[in-house]
Amino acid sequence: MSHQNKKLQQSAFKAALQNSELYRDIRSMISSNKMDVQIIKYIREETGLGLVHSKNLLEEVKVGE
């Protein structure tokens, strides 16, 4: 991954963390016992984040519960 692409991913990650609607959706999916793989796929589709950043976002939401 190029340096510029990494910076874009990090910016998108920070923006996703501040997206209250996305945060609510993820929390709802966690509460509904959705598998992490399904939640990560949803995050990737909604944000355009890569796999690692999507997984990290899920972990951030779980920690914030």
Side-chain angles (χ1 to χ4, degrees), residues 21-34 39 61 65:
E21 186 177 332
L22 178 65
Y23 191 86
R24 270 194 320 269
D25 290 347
I26 295 169
R27 286 183 57 127
S28 175
M29 294 174 87
I30 293 168
S31 296
S32 299
N33 295 318
K34 294 276 186 185
I39 301 171
V61 173
E65 282 192 299

Side-chain angles (χ1 to χ4, degrees), residues 14-26 46-47:
K14 288 177 185 174
L17 276 175
Q18 296 176 3
N19 182 333
S20 60
E21 186 177 332
L22 178 65
Y23 191 86
R24 270 194 320 269
D25 290 347
I26 295 169
E46 292 296 312
T47 64

Side-chain angles (χ1 to χ4, degrees), residues 6 9 11 17 23 26 34 42 54 56 64:
K6 263 188 177 177
Q9 284 281 308
S11 295
L17 276 175
Y23 191 86
I26 295 169
K34 294 276 186 185
Y42 172 78
S54 296
N56 290 344

Side-chain angles (χ1 to χ4, degrees), residues 13 17 23 55-65:
F13 177 77
L17 276 175
Y23 191 86
K55 184 179 182 307
N56 290 344
L57 179 61
L58 175 57
E59 294 304 318
E60 288 286 330
V61 173
K62 284 182 173 182
V63 168
E65 282 192 299

